[in-house]
Amino acid sequence: MTQGGKAHTGDPHAGVALSTDGLPEWLDPVVRAAETVQPLQLSRFLPPENGTGRQSAVLILFGEGEQGPELLLMERAGSLRSHAGQPAFPGGALDPEDGDPKADGPLRAALREAEEETGLDPAGVQLFGVLPKLYIPVSHFVVTPVLGWWRAPSPVDVVDPNETARVFTVPVADLTNPANRATAMHPSGHRGPAFLVESTLVWGFTAGVIDRLLHYAGWERSWDREKLVPLDWRS
């Protein structure tokens, strides 16, 4: 992966860069976390050692809104075969034109998918880090979380209602508010962190990554882990 420069996707074969130049100071803890966090510190679900799994990427995009730092999320359409109706980071599977999954392919994929799903202008996004690859067993996705700073925000909205139900931002202050935190409990017995924000429940893979980012960035506040939110079998 190259260092320095601006990230853009106008040409799918153009270079995509990581750069920490000019980031706001409040992102420093996130930069440090990305540089030091180990895979098992993020999740117990790691990519299969035999290399199987569908390579994909998500964009964890930090912006600054009226209430301070915020994250861009979207809600997947209820008609999708996997993860229907769930809030998620923009993202999806790598396409061949994205390039090498072991190099800058995930960076291009994260920006391309975010543009396709939310309409954001990738030229206004500065990519500054990647987290270790993680695994979603239910869909067999090997996911590279790509961190970005929304240096020049652009309008976002649903592009294809068959894929996305809505696009929204969540203030980091709401994510760290103990009143908005809970433990999601699936009928299978699995438990994981959840956030009750923006009239929705963020859980699963997305909530797990947010939870760990808040923790390792030092932003986490003490919250009641015994506050349970039950999920149904369709989740």
Side-chain angles (χ1 to χ4, degrees), residues 97-126:
E97 60 265 28
D98 292 324
D100 188 350
K102 295 181 180 179
D104 56 7
L107 305 187
R108 284 199 194 88
L111 287 173
R112 175 183 54 75
E113 287 282 345
E115 182 177 14
E116 292 175 0
E117 293 175 334
T118 74
L120 69 76
D121 181 359
V125 176
Q126 177 179 337

Side-chain angles (χ1 to χ4, degrees), residues 57-61 71-78 80 82-92 110 112-120 150 156-170 197-198 200-203 206-207 210:
V58 295
L59 180 63
I60 304 176
L61 184 59
L71 274 177
L72 178 69
L73 295 178
M74 47 169 275
E75 189 173 304
R76 294 168 59 83
L80 293 175
S82 62
H83 311 294
Q86 286 191 31
F89 301 117
R112 175 183 54 75
E113 287 282 345
E115 182 177 14
E116 292 175 0
E117 293 175 334
T118 74
L120 69 76
W150 212 351
V156 291
D157 204 349
V158 172
V159 175
D160 182 356
N162 291 318
E163 290 193 2
T164 309
R166 68 172 174 142
V167 177
F168 58 100
T169 57
V170 181
V197 291
E198 299 299 320
T200 192
L201 178 69
V202 181
W203 63 282
T206 303
I210 293 174

Side-chain angles (χ1 to χ4, degrees), residues 168-183:
F168 58 100
T169 57
V170 181
V172 171
D174 288 352
L175 294 167
T176 59
N177 185 342
N180 297 334
R181 303 214 53 182
T183 297

Side-chain angles (χ1 to χ4, degrees), residues 46-59:
L46 302 182
E49 294 183 0
N50 61 8
T52 59
R54 193 174 183 191
Q55 295 293 327
S56 64
V58 295
L59 180 63

